[in-house]
Amino acid sequence: VTTILCLLLAFPLSYLLAASGPKLRLILFIFILLPFWTSILVRSIAWVVLLQANGPVTSLIRSISPVLSDVELVHNRFGVYVAMVHTLLPFAVLPLYSVMVGIPRNLVRAASSLGAGPLRTFFRVYLPQTVPGLAAGGLLIFISALGYYITPALVGGARDQLISYYIALFVNKTVNWGMAAALSAVLIAIIAILGVLFRRLSRGGQYALP
């Protein structure tokens, strides 16, 4: 879910970056790369503060609609999605931007001049050329999200923990190193399989793995 949300948000944002001027592009890049400049622990705690019961986001929702006075935005799956998407979004924007900025604009104009409408031009001409960026961004986000520990532990609830949480649990609390090793092997196997699939899909392309 985090990967899909990041790609959906990153596509129009990357297109805006590729189509904007140098000054606006610089400002947008500063805001996009801002999560990289702060600790992941600080970012997670900040989202807890913003989404908690008496936080500014919840207070704003209550002022707009009293019906949603009991809405909970933190210590659940929604809070985990928000915090992880905020953290991982740059991993989708950067590959997509690097692909979009290299797409010749005359291809879109040529398709329009030959009678293709905006939707057909987008799906038949523009979108296929962004596939390498989508694949690279999706792989980076999915692999990073698989091993997330701090964000789900702070922002999520008991049902929102990922495999890294259980690895730490078996190592530090139950001292079940066998189960921790088995889960670690599963995590590494998933990442290796994804890496091989991505290499085959992108062989000969811009994002082919070594």
Side-chain angles (χ1 to χ4, degrees), residues 26-179:
L26 178 61
I27 296 174
L28 292 174
F29 262 122
I30 291 175
F31 284 103
I32 292 171
L33 298 177
L34 195 61
F36 284 136
W37 301 340
T38 54
S39 168
I40 188 172
L41 178 61
V42 174
R43 283 173 275 171
S44 300
I45 294 178
W47 277 113
V48 173
V49 174
L50 289 173
L51 301 177
Q52 63 182 344
N54 297 320
V57 176
T58 307
S59 301
L60 178 62
I61 293 176
R62 290 173 180 172
S63 64
I64 295 175
S65 177
V67 179
L68 302 175
S69 58
D70 296 331
V71 64
E72 295 184 2
L73 303 178
V74 73
H75 301 308
N76 52 27
R77 192 66 54 87
F78 176 81
V80 174
Y81 288 155
V82 170
M84 291 183 67
V85 167
H86 169 252
T87 303
L88 296 173
L89 184 61
F91 290 103
V93 172
L94 296 179
L96 270 173
Y97 165 76
S98 65
V99 170
M100 288 181 176
V101 77
I103 297 177
R105 297 187 178 182
N106 56 2
L107 292 179
V108 176
R109 291 195 294 266
S112 300
S113 65
L114 292 173
L119 290 178
R120 189 173 184 181
T121 301
F122 174 76
F123 285 106
R124 298 292 298 273
V125 177
Y126 192 81
L127 183 62
Q129 298 184 76
T130 64
V131 170
L134 290 170
L139 181 71
L140 288 172
I141 293 171
F142 192 83
I143 290 177
S144 300
L146 278 178
Y148 254 44
Y149 174 70
I150 295 178
T151 301
L154 293 176
V155 186
R159 292 187 170 184
D160 307 309
Q161 304 307 312
L162 300 179
I163 190 171
S164 57
Y165 170 84
Y166 295 101
I167 293 174
L169 175 69
F170 287 123
V171 170
N172 298 322
K173 291 188 177 181
T174 62
V175 197
N176 189 345
W177 289 12
M179 181 62 72

Side-chain angles (χ1 to χ4, degrees), residues 181-202:
L183 292 177
S184 301
V186 170
L187 184 60
I188 294 174
I190 294 174
I191 295 174
I193 292 172
L194 289 174
V196 172
L197 290 176
F198 178 72
R199 182 178 180 180
R200 291 187 176 181
L201 290 174
S202 60

